[in-house]
Amino acid sequence: MKHFSKSAILAAEKSFRRDFVNSLTGYKSLNLIGTISDVGVSNLAPFSQIIHVGASPPLIGILFRPHTVERHTLENIQKTSYFTLNHVTASFYKEAHHCSARWEGSEFQAVGLEEEYLEGFPAPFVKRSPLKIACELQEIQTLKCNGTELVVGSVEHVFVQESAVGQDGFISLSELGTVSVSGLDEYHVGSRLARLNYAKPGLPVTEM
Amino acid sequence: MKHFSKSAILAAEKSFRRDFVNSLTGYKSLNLIGTISDVGVSNLAPFSQIIHVGASPPLIGILFRPHTVERHTLENIQKTSYFTLNHVTASFYKEAHHCSARWEGSEFQAVGLEEEYLEGFPAPFVKRSPLKIACELQEIQTLKCNGTELVVGSVEHVFVQESAVGQDGFISLSELGTVSVSGLDEYHVGSRLARLNYAKPGLPVTEM
């Protein structure tokens, strides 16, 4: 095992530190966030800092870094209160990655992903995505430690490929073909090990 | 595509809603958090709500639900300020899952995962884990929307299997064998698609 102390990490080159620290948390969820500006320009950007905040009511959190190209997304959310989350599959992960470039105008047209509007929701969805979530802004908290901003959205609608939803509510990511990201730029699909039953003390863990 | 409105999600059975909403964000990182109580009882619990907060200085965030069995972990962090994050591999993901049961005493002994102490750091690490992170409490913020608590830790040490660390700082999760979780209880390893170069407008996306 190789040991890196905090001072060694801080003394490393900036690009080394960025890749290293971004890898530490393991596999990250990948979603394209769709928004629209107050003058009607749609925007699409990939995000990997997304967490489940609660189920009742359903809430999802996204951490935004200060001073990055992703600020368009945050500005649109602050102005309109609406955004969408769209799972990415292996068939369009390169287009999703391309959304991170500094495009002028809408990323949808720039990278060739069709946008769609559903159920009168104001923010755009990615038509090809097999799982799309419509969110309304609930709260924003700024972290004291570094100025990053945690945006929490309430889930207003979910559109999901029906074959992936089990009778118990569980959604199969393998069936959807959802992609995950590690570090800043490595992409993966999941290879399923098992689903495990609720764990109890003194009893063996069993597969569902 | 099947449409679930917010009211349909809220009207569903509690277990359906829990599985459904926990699946929405996609693949989640999985880490075992190691802590020790103020009277010296070690604790180990699996967590999937973990996010990268910053690289300079290196910061990692974990979202804790209110009123769950996981409160031992949060109480230990609040009292001692120290915790560890440990990647889980396919060779011990069932033991990791078993840590979520309501054990009396230390989960390390209960599930058969050996603990170790490194570099004088007070919280226990999982000996078998190929990537272990020592964190010191930096801040805790309570989310207004539902009382969940975001704990931010500063990275003090990283111990990682040397073969997985690239010269550029990127850590290969495939090389480590890191496991990811979806929903509450389905486990996966990653199947790598590609690492992509920095995206630029008007130029094709290329593999690294």
Side-chain angles (χ1 to χ4, degrees), chain B residues 139-174:
Chain B
E139 74 175 281
I140 301 182
Q141 289 210 10
T142 305
L143 273 63
K144 292 188 202 86
C145 56
N146 69 352
T148 49
E149 301 189 78
L150 184 69
V151 170
V152 179
S154 72
V155 174
E156 301 297 317
H157 302 277
V158 174
F159 304 90
V160 55
Q161 186 184 307
E162 192 157 5
S163 62
V165 185
Q167 288 204 322
D168 59 358
F170 185 85
I171 301 168
S172 167
L173 300 182
S174 319

PDB file of all heavy atoms in Angstrom, chain B residues 139-174:
ATOM      1  N   GLU B 139     -16.881  20.226   8.980  1.00  0.00           N
ATOM      2  CA  GLU B 139     -18.121  20.932   9.297  1.00  0.00           C
ATOM      3  C   GLU B 139     -19.304  19.992   9.151  1.00  0.00           C
ATOM      4  O   GLU B 139     -19.219  18.966   8.462  1.00  0.00           O
ATOM      5  CB  GLU B 139     -18.300  22.179   8.419  1.00  0.00           C
ATOM      6  CG  GLU B 139     -18.684  21.934   6.979  1.00  0.00           C
ATOM      7  CD  GLU B 139     -18.969  23.241   6.202  1.00  0.00           C
ATOM      8  OE1 GLU B 139     -20.062  23.807   6.347  1.00  0.00           O
ATOM      9  OE2 GLU B 139     -18.081  23.661   5.436  1.00  0.00           O
ATOM     10  N   ILE B 140     -20.427  20.351   9.798  1.00  0.00           N
ATOM     11  CA  ILE B 140     -21.691  19.620   9.645  1.00  0.00           C
ATOM     12  C   ILE B 140     -22.768  20.649   9.352  1.00  0.00           C
ATOM     13  O   ILE B 140     -22.872  21.656  10.055  1.00  0.00           O
ATOM     14  CB  ILE B 140     -22.071  18.839  10.927  1.00  0.00           C
ATOM     15  CG1 ILE B 140     -20.978  17.832  11.299  1.00  0.00           C
ATOM     16  CG2 ILE B 140     -23.416  18.128  10.740  1.00  0.00           C
ATOM     17  CD1 ILE B 140     -21.301  16.981  12.523  1.00  0.00           C
ATOM     18  N   GLN B 141     -23.542  20.405   8.296  1.00  0.00           N
ATOM     19  CA  GLN B 141     -24.673  21.288   7.995  1.00  0.00           C
ATOM     20  C   GLN B 141     -25.946  20.465   7.978  1.00  0.00           C
ATOM     21  O   GLN B 141     -25.994  19.392   7.379  1.00  0.00           O
ATOM     22  CB  GLN B 141     -24.492  21.942   6.622  1.00  0.00           C
ATOM     23  CG  GLN B 141     -23.389  22.985   6.595  1.00  0.00           C
ATOM     24  CD  GLN B 141     -23.661  24.099   5.584  1.00  0.00           C
ATOM     25  OE1 GLN B 141     -24.747  24.200   5.026  1.00  0.00           O
ATOM     26  NE2 GLN B 141     -22.662  24.943   5.375  1.00  0.00           N
ATOM     27  N   THR B 142     -26.989  20.976   8.627  1.00  0.00           N
ATOM     28  CA  THR B 142     -28.286  20.304   8.617  1.00  0.00           C
ATOM     29  C   THR B 142     -29.135  20.871   7.480  1.00  0.00           C
ATOM     30  O   THR B 142     -29.234  22.089   7.338  1.00  0.00           O
ATOM     31  CB  THR B 142     -29.009  20.525   9.963  1.00  0.00           C
ATOM     32  OG1 THR B 142     -28.145  20.080  11.005  1.00  0.00           O
ATOM     33  CG2 THR B 142     -30.315  19.744  10.012  1.00  0.00           C
ATOM     34  N   LEU B 143     -29.709  19.979   6.654  1.00  0.00           N
ATOM     35  CA  LEU B 143     -30.557  20.438   5.550  1.00  0.00           C
ATOM     36  C   LEU B 143     -31.948  20.771   6.090  1.00  0.00           C
ATOM     37  O   LEU B 143     -32.562  19.964   6.786  1.00  0.00           O
ATOM     38  CB  LEU B 143     -30.653  19.360   4.457  1.00  0.00           C
ATOM     39  CG  LEU B 143     -29.530  19.422   3.416  1.00  0.00           C
ATOM     40  CD1 LEU B 143     -28.176  19.169   4.028  1.00  0.00           C
ATOM     41  CD2 LEU B 143     -29.799  18.422   2.301  1.00  0.00           C
ATOM     42  N   LYS B 144     -32.407  21.957   5.739  1.00  0.00           N
ATOM     43  CA  LYS B 144     -33.713  22.417   6.239  1.00  0.00           C
ATOM     44  C   LYS B 144     -34.844  21.515   5.744  1.00  0.00           C
ATOM     45  O   LYS B 144     -35.791  21.250   6.471  1.00  0.00           O
ATOM     46  CB  LYS B 144     -33.988  23.846   5.760  1.00  0.00           C
ATOM     47  CG  LYS B 144     -33.072  24.896   6.368  1.00  0.00           C
ATOM     48  CD  LYS B 144     -33.537  26.304   5.980  1.00  0.00           C
ATOM     49  CE  LYS B 144     -32.393  27.309   6.090  1.00  0.00           C
ATOM     50  NZ  LYS B 144     -31.575  27.350   4.835  1.00  0.00           N
ATOM     51  N   CYS B 145     -34.713  21.046   4.497  1.00  0.00           N
ATOM     52  CA  CYS B 145     -35.835  20.329   3.864  1.00  0.00           C
ATOM     53  C   CYS B 145     -36.234  19.062   4.601  1.00  0.00           C
ATOM     54  O   CYS B 145     -37.405  18.698   4.617  1.00  0.00           O
ATOM     55  CB  CYS B 145     -35.505  20.023   2.415  1.00  0.00           C
ATOM     56  SG  CYS B 145     -33.979  19.103   2.204  1.00  0.00           S
ATOM     57  N   ASN B 146     -35.290  18.345   5.208  1.00  0.00           N
ATOM     58  CA  ASN B 146     -35.684  17.091   5.879  1.00  0.00           C
ATOM     59  C   ASN B 146     -34.788  16.673   7.049  1.00  0.00           C
ATOM     60  O   ASN B 146     -34.890  15.540   7.515  1.00  0.00           O
ATOM     61  CB  ASN B 146     -35.795  15.941   4.853  1.00  0.00           C
ATOM     62  CG  ASN B 146     -34.450  15.516   4.293  1.00  0.00           C
ATOM     63  OD1 ASN B 146     -33.427  16.170   4.545  1.00  0.00           O
ATOM     64  ND2 ASN B 146     -34.437  14.428   3.550  1.00  0.00           N
ATOM     65  N   GLY B 147     -33.943  17.582   7.515  1.00  0.00           N
ATOM     66  CA  GLY B 147     -33.159  17.287   8.710  1.00  0.00           C
ATOM     67  C   GLY B 147     -31.980  16.349   8.504  1.00  0.00           C
ATOM     68  O   GLY B 147     -31.320  15.965   9.476  1.00  0.00           O
ATOM     69  N   THR B 148     -31.693  15.959   7.251  1.00  0.00           N
ATOM     70  CA  THR B 148     -30.488  15.161   7.011  1.00  0.00           C
ATOM     71  C   THR B 148     -29.263  16.043   7.287  1.00  0.00           C
ATOM     72  O   THR B 148     -29.339  17.268   7.228  1.00  0.00           O
ATOM     73  CB  THR B 148     -30.429  14.627   5.563  1.00  0.00           C
ATOM     74  OG1 THR B 148     -30.686  15.710   4.666  1.00  0.00           O
ATOM     75  CG2 THR B 148     -31.459  13.537   5.332  1.00  0.00           C
ATOM     76  N   GLU B 149     -28.144  15.378   7.591  1.00  0.00           N
ATOM     77  CA  GLU B 149     -26.958  16.146   7.983  1.00  0.00           C
ATOM     78  C   GLU B 149     -25.774  15.844   7.078  1.00  0.00           C
ATOM     79  O   GLU B 149     -25.397  14.679   6.918  1.00  0.00           O
ATOM     80  CB  GLU B 149     -26.617  15.836   9.438  1.00  0.00           C
ATOM     81  CG  GLU B 149     -27.805  16.203  10.325  1.00  0.00           C
ATOM     82  CD  GLU B 149     -27.512  16.149  11.805  1.00  0.00           C
ATOM     83  OE1 GLU B 149     -26.878  17.095  12.296  1.00  0.00           O
ATOM     84  OE2 GLU B 149     -27.917  15.179  12.452  1.00  0.00           O
ATOM     85  N   LEU B 150     -25.235  16.898   6.499  1.00  0.00           N
ATOM     86  CA  LEU B 150     -24.089  16.754   5.615  1.00  0.00           C
ATOM     87  C   LEU B 150     -22.809  16.958   6.420  1.00  0.00           C
ATOM     88  O   LEU B 150     -22.558  18.047   6.938  1.00  0.00           O
ATOM     89  CB  LEU B 150     -24.148  17.767   4.470  1.00  0.00           C
ATOM     90  CG  LEU B 150     -23.027  17.630   3.443  1.00  0.00           C
ATOM     91  CD1 LEU B 150     -23.171  16.346   2.638  1.00  0.00           C
ATOM     92  CD2 LEU B 150     -22.988  18.829   2.500  1.00  0.00           C
ATOM     93  N   VAL B 151     -22.038  15.872   6.536  1.00  0.00           N
ATOM     94  CA  VAL B 151     -20.774  15.897   7.266  1.00  0.00           C
ATOM     95  C   VAL B 151     -19.647  16.056   6.253  1.00  0.00           C
ATOM     96  O   VAL B 151     -19.566  15.284   5.297  1.00  0.00           O
ATOM     97  CB  VAL B 151     -20.582  14.580   8.045  1.00  0.00           C
ATOM     98  CG1 VAL B 151     -19.171  14.479   8.615  1.00  0.00           C
ATOM     99  CG2 VAL B 151     -21.623  14.466   9.151  1.00  0.00           C
ATOM    100  N   VAL B 152     -18.797  17.060   6.437  1.00  0.00           N
ATOM    101  CA  VAL B 152     -17.647  17.231   5.546  1.00  0.00           C
ATOM    102  C   VAL B 152     -16.373  16.929   6.325  1.00  0.00           C
ATOM    103  O   VAL B 152     -16.166  17.461   7.423  1.00  0.00           O
ATOM    104  CB  VAL B 152     -17.592  18.648   4.953  1.00  0.00           C
ATOM    105  CG1 VAL B 152     -16.373  18.802   4.051  1.00  0.00           C
ATOM    106  CG2 VAL B 152     -18.865  18.947   4.172  1.00  0.00           C
ATOM    107  N   GLY B 153     -15.553  16.042   5.771  1.00  0.00           N
ATOM    108  CA  GLY B 153     -14.288  15.690   6.390  1.00  0.00           C
ATOM    109  C   GLY B 153     -13.124  16.106   5.519  1.00  0.00           C
ATOM    110  O   GLY B 153     -13.208  16.048   4.290  1.00  0.00           O
ATOM    111  N   SER B 154     -12.036  16.527   6.152  1.00  0.00           N
ATOM    112  CA  SER B 154     -10.820  16.815   5.389  1.00  0.00           C
ATOM    113  C   SER B 154      -9.980  15.546   5.333  1.00  0.00           C
ATOM    114  O   SER B 154      -9.861  14.812   6.316  1.00  0.00           O
ATOM    115  CB  SER B 154     -10.039  17.958   6.030  1.00  0.00           C
ATOM    116  OG  SER B 154      -9.446  17.533   7.232  1.00  0.00           O
ATOM    117  N   VAL B 155      -9.421  15.284   4.157  1.00  0.00           N
ATOM    118  CA  VAL B 155      -8.626  14.071   3.942  1.00  0.00           C
ATOM    119  C   VAL B 155      -7.251  14.259   4.580  1.00  0.00           C
ATOM    120  O   VAL B 155      -6.498  15.155   4.188  1.00  0.00           O
ATOM    121  CB  VAL B 155      -8.488  13.781   2.435  1.00  0.00           C
ATOM    122  CG1 VAL B 155      -7.542  12.609   2.184  1.00  0.00           C
ATOM    123  CG2 VAL B 155      -9.861  13.526   1.819  1.00  0.00           C
ATOM    124  N   GLU B 156      -6.912  13.423   5.559  1.00  0.00           N
ATOM    125  CA  GLU B 156      -5.633  13.539   6.270  1.00  0.00           C
ATOM    126  C   GLU B 156      -4.593  12.538   5.758  1.00  0.00           C
ATOM    127  O   GLU B 156      -3.398  12.834   5.745  1.00  0.00           O
ATOM    128  CB  GLU B 156      -5.847  13.344   7.771  1.00  0.00           C
ATOM    129  CG  GLU B 156      -6.817  14.358   8.383  1.00  0.00           C
ATOM    130  CD  GLU B 156      -6.309  15.796   8.290  1.00  0.00           C
ATOM    131  OE1 GLU B 156      -5.112  16.014   8.550  1.00  0.00           O
ATOM    132  OE2 GLU B 156      -7.108  16.693   7.927  1.00  0.00           O
ATOM    133  N   HIS B 157      -5.053  11.349   5.372  1.00  0.00           N
ATOM    134  CA  HIS B 157      -4.161  10.319   4.814  1.00  0.00           C
ATOM    135  C   HIS B 157      -4.946   9.495   3.795  1.00  0.00           C
ATOM    136  O   HIS B 157      -6.141   9.300   3.965  1.00  0.00           O
ATOM    137  CB  HIS B 157      -3.690   9.309   5.882  1.00  0.00           C
ATOM    138  CG  HIS B 157      -2.979   9.889   7.040  1.00  0.00           C
ATOM    139  ND1 HIS B 157      -1.636  10.186   7.018  1.00  0.00           N
ATOM    140  CD2 HIS B 157      -3.413  10.230   8.277  1.00  0.00           C
ATOM    141  CE1 HIS B 157      -1.277  10.679   8.203  1.00  0.00           C
ATOM    142  NE2 HIS B 157      -2.333  10.713   8.977  1.00  0.00           N
ATOM    143  N   VAL B 158      -4.228   8.997   2.781  1.00  0.00           N
ATOM    144  CA  VAL B 158      -4.798   8.007   1.866  1.00  0.00           C
ATOM    145  C   VAL B 158      -3.824   6.839   1.788  1.00  0.00           C
ATOM    146  O   VAL B 158      -2.610   7.044   1.634  1.00  0.00           O
ATOM    147  CB  VAL B 158      -5.017   8.596   0.453  1.00  0.00           C
ATOM    148  CG1 VAL B 158      -5.478   7.519  -0.518  1.00  0.00           C
ATOM    149  CG2 VAL B 158      -6.027   9.750   0.497  1.00  0.00           C
ATOM    150  N   PHE B 159      -4.344   5.612   1.922  1.00  0.00           N
ATOM    151  CA  PHE B 159      -3.553   4.391   1.733  1.00  0.00           C
ATOM    152  C   PHE B 159      -4.177   3.649   0.567  1.00  0.00           C
ATOM    153  O   PHE B 159      -5.361   3.307   0.617  1.00  0.00           O
ATOM    154  CB  PHE B 159      -3.592   3.532   2.999  1.00  0.00           C
ATOM    155  CG  PHE B 159      -3.122   4.266   4.230  1.00  0.00           C
ATOM    156  CD1 PHE B 159      -4.021   4.971   5.013  1.00  0.00           C
ATOM    157  CD2 PHE B 159      -1.775   4.285   4.578  1.00  0.00           C
ATOM    158  CE1 PHE B 159      -3.596   5.677   6.139  1.00  0.00           C
ATOM    159  CE2 PHE B 159      -1.340   4.991   5.696  1.00  0.00           C
ATOM    160  CZ  PHE B 159      -2.250   5.683   6.478  1.00  0.00           C
ATOM    161  N   VAL B 160      -3.404   3.433  -0.475  1.00  0.00           N
ATOM    162  CA  VAL B 160      -3.997   2.857  -1.688  1.00  0.00           C
ATOM    163  C   VAL B 160      -3.042   1.850  -2.316  1.00  0.00           C
ATOM    164  O   VAL B 160      -1.814   2.035  -2.307  1.00  0.00           O
ATOM    165  CB  VAL B 160      -4.381   3.991  -2.683  1.00  0.00           C
ATOM    166  CG1 VAL B 160      -3.217   4.907  -3.007  1.00  0.00           C
ATOM    167  CG2 VAL B 160      -4.995   3.427  -3.974  1.00  0.00           C
ATOM    168  N   GLN B 161      -3.611   0.777  -2.837  1.00  0.00           N
ATOM    169  CA  GLN B 161      -2.863  -0.253  -3.552  1.00  0.00           C
ATOM    170  C   GLN B 161      -2.071   0.432  -4.672  1.00  0.00           C
ATOM    171  O   GLN B 161      -2.655   1.030  -5.577  1.00  0.00           O
ATOM    172  CB  GLN B 161      -3.889  -1.238  -4.123  1.00  0.00           C
ATOM    173  CG  GLN B 161      -3.328  -2.460  -4.792  1.00  0.00           C
ATOM    174  CD  GLN B 161      -4.463  -3.285  -5.386  1.00  0.00           C
ATOM    175  OE1 GLN B 161      -5.428  -3.636  -4.704  1.00  0.00           O
ATOM    176  NE2 GLN B 161      -4.370  -3.579  -6.676  1.00  0.00           N
ATOM    177  N   GLU B 162      -0.762   0.312  -4.617  1.00  0.00           N
ATOM    178  CA  GLU B 162       0.086   1.148  -5.469  1.00  0.00           C
ATOM    179  C   GLU B 162      -0.148   0.926  -6.971  1.00  0.00           C
ATOM    180  O   GLU B 162      -0.078   1.865  -7.765  1.00  0.00           O
ATOM    181  CB  GLU B 162       1.564   0.896  -5.123  1.00  0.00           C
ATOM    182  CG  GLU B 162       2.496   1.908  -5.731  1.00  0.00           C
ATOM    183  CD  GLU B 162       3.820   1.997  -4.968  1.00  0.00           C
ATOM    184  OE1 GLU B 162       4.025   1.201  -4.022  1.00  0.00           O
ATOM    185  OE2 GLU B 162       4.638   2.857  -5.331  1.00  0.00           O
ATOM    186  N   SER B 163      -0.475  -0.310  -7.352  1.00  0.00           N
ATOM    187  CA  SER B 163      -0.646  -0.634  -8.777  1.00  0.00           C
ATOM    188  C   SER B 163      -1.806   0.117  -9.416  1.00  0.00           C
ATOM    189  O   SER B 163      -1.911   0.192 -10.641  1.00  0.00           O
ATOM    190  CB  SER B 163      -0.893  -2.137  -8.933  1.00  0.00           C
ATOM    191  OG  SER B 163      -2.090  -2.510  -8.250  1.00  0.00           O
ATOM    192  N   ALA B 164      -2.713   0.681  -8.587  1.00  0.00           N
ATOM    193  CA  ALA B 164      -3.912   1.332  -9.134  1.00  0.00           C
ATOM    194  C   ALA B 164      -3.722   2.824  -9.380  1.00  0.00           C
ATOM    195  O   ALA B 164      -4.580   3.456  -9.992  1.00  0.00           O
ATOM    196  CB  ALA B 164      -5.089   1.119  -8.184  1.00  0.00           C
ATOM    197  N   VAL B 165      -2.591   3.388  -8.918  1.00  0.00           N
ATOM    198  CA  VAL B 165      -2.396   4.837  -9.026  1.00  0.00           C
ATOM    199  C   VAL B 165      -1.553   5.168 -10.256  1.00  0.00           C
ATOM    200  O   VAL B 165      -0.409   4.740 -10.364  1.00  0.00           O
ATOM    201  CB  VAL B 165      -1.702   5.410  -7.769  1.00  0.00           C
ATOM    202  CG1 VAL B 165      -1.631   6.936  -7.844  1.00  0.00           C
ATOM    203  CG2 VAL B 165      -2.434   4.975  -6.510  1.00  0.00           C
ATOM    204  N   GLY B 166      -2.138   5.919 -11.186  1.00  0.00           N
ATOM    205  CA  GLY B 166      -1.417   6.314 -12.390  1.00  0.00           C
ATOM    206  C   GLY B 166      -0.470   7.459 -12.122  1.00  0.00           C
ATOM    207  O   GLY B 166      -0.564   8.145 -11.089  1.00  0.00           O
ATOM    208  N   GLN B 167       0.446   7.680 -13.059  1.00  0.00           N
ATOM    209  CA  GLN B 167       1.408   8.784 -12.907  1.00  0.00           C
ATOM    210  C   GLN B 167       0.723  10.139 -12.877  1.00  0.00           C
ATOM    211  O   GLN B 167       1.255  11.107 -12.332  1.00  0.00           O
ATOM    212  CB  GLN B 167       2.420   8.749 -14.059  1.00  0.00           C
ATOM    213  CG  GLN B 167       3.390   7.587 -13.938  1.00  0.00           C
ATOM    214  CD  GLN B 167       4.683   7.855 -14.672  1.00  0.00           C
ATOM    215  OE1 GLN B 167       4.673   8.453 -15.744  1.00  0.00           O
ATOM    216  NE2 GLN B 167       5.801   7.435 -14.111  1.00  0.00           N
ATOM    217  N   ASP B 168      -0.477  10.210 -13.474  1.00  0.00           N
ATOM    218  CA  ASP B 168      -1.222  11.466 -13.506  1.00  0.00           C
ATOM    219  C   ASP B 168      -2.110  11.646 -12.274  1.00  0.00           C
ATOM    220  O   ASP B 168      -2.836  12.633 -12.179  1.00  0.00           O
ATOM    221  CB  ASP B 168      -2.079  11.542 -14.784  1.00  0.00           C
ATOM    222  CG  ASP B 168      -3.072  10.385 -14.890  1.00  0.00           C
ATOM    223  OD1 ASP B 168      -3.078   9.499 -14.001  1.00  0.00           O
ATOM    224  OD2 ASP B 168      -3.851  10.357 -15.856  1.00  0.00           O
ATOM    225  N   GLY B 169      -2.081  10.677 -11.338  1.00  0.00           N
ATOM    226  CA  GLY B 169      -2.886  10.792 -10.127  1.00  0.00           C
ATOM    227  C   GLY B 169      -4.200  10.048 -10.178  1.00  0.00           C
ATOM    228  O   GLY B 169      -4.832   9.823  -9.142  1.00  0.00           O
ATOM    229  N   PHE B 170      -4.624   9.651 -11.399  1.00  0.00           N
ATOM    230  CA  PHE B 170      -5.884   8.927 -11.545  1.00  0.00           C
ATOM    231  C   PHE B 170      -5.771   7.542 -10.900  1.00  0.00           C
ATOM    232  O   PHE B 170      -4.769   6.851 -11.067  1.00  0.00           O
ATOM    233  CB  PHE B 170      -6.220   8.778 -13.036  1.00  0.00           C
ATOM    234  CG  PHE B 170      -7.554   8.150 -13.291  1.00  0.00           C
ATOM    235  CD1 PHE B 170      -8.711   8.928 -13.299  1.00  0.00           C
ATOM    236  CD2 PHE B 170      -7.659   6.780 -13.511  1.00  0.00           C
ATOM    237  CE1 PHE B 170      -9.950   8.345 -13.527  1.00  0.00           C
ATOM    238  CE2 PHE B 170      -8.900   6.199 -13.728  1.00  0.00           C
ATOM    239  CZ  PHE B 170     -10.044   6.982 -13.739  1.00  0.00           C
ATOM    240  N   ILE B 171      -6.812   7.155 -10.145  1.00  0.00           N
ATOM    241  CA  ILE B 171      -6.822   5.838  -9.496  1.00  0.00           C
ATOM    242  C   ILE B 171      -7.791   4.937 -10.230  1.00  0.00           C
ATOM    243  O   ILE B 171      -8.959   5.276 -10.408  1.00  0.00           O
ATOM    244  CB  ILE B 171      -7.240   5.969  -8.013  1.00  0.00           C
ATOM    245  CG1 ILE B 171      -6.273   6.900  -7.265  1.00  0.00           C
ATOM    246  CG2 ILE B 171      -7.276   4.603  -7.350  1.00  0.00           C
ATOM    247  CD1 ILE B 171      -6.763   7.308  -5.876  1.00  0.00           C
ATOM    248  N   SER B 172      -7.313   3.766 -10.675  1.00  0.00           N
ATOM    249  CA  SER B 172      -8.154   2.836 -11.428  1.00  0.00           C
ATOM    250  C   SER B 172      -9.027   2.017 -10.479  1.00  0.00           C
ATOM    251  O   SER B 172      -8.542   1.179  -9.720  1.00  0.00           O
ATOM    252  CB  SER B 172      -7.284   1.893 -12.263  1.00  0.00           C
ATOM    253  OG  SER B 172      -8.090   0.833 -12.746  1.00  0.00           O
ATOM    254  N   LEU B 173     -10.337   2.248 -10.537  1.00  0.00           N
ATOM    255  CA  LEU B 173     -11.260   1.491  -9.681  1.00  0.00           C
ATOM    256  C   LEU B 173     -11.365   0.045 -10.143  1.00  0.00           C
ATOM    257  O   LEU B 173     -11.613  -0.852  -9.330  1.00  0.00           O
ATOM    258  CB  LEU B 173     -12.641   2.153  -9.675  1.00  0.00           C
ATOM    259  CG  LEU B 173     -12.690   3.601  -9.161  1.00  0.00           C
ATOM    260  CD1 LEU B 173     -14.139   4.107  -9.158  1.00  0.00           C
ATOM    261  CD2 LEU B 173     -12.093   3.733  -7.773  1.00  0.00           C
ATOM    262  N   SER B 174     -11.177  -0.196 -11.449  1.00  0.00           N
ATOM    263  CA  SER B 174     -11.187  -1.578 -11.949  1.00  0.00           C
ATOM    264  C   SER B 174     -10.024  -2.344 -11.340  1.00  0.00           C
ATOM    265  O   SER B 174     -10.161  -3.505 -10.935  1.00  0.00           O
ATOM    266  CB  SER B 174     -11.063  -1.613 -13.475  1.00  0.00           C
ATOM    267  OG  SER B 174     -11.827  -0.608 -14.075  1.00  0.00           O
TER     268      SER B 174
END
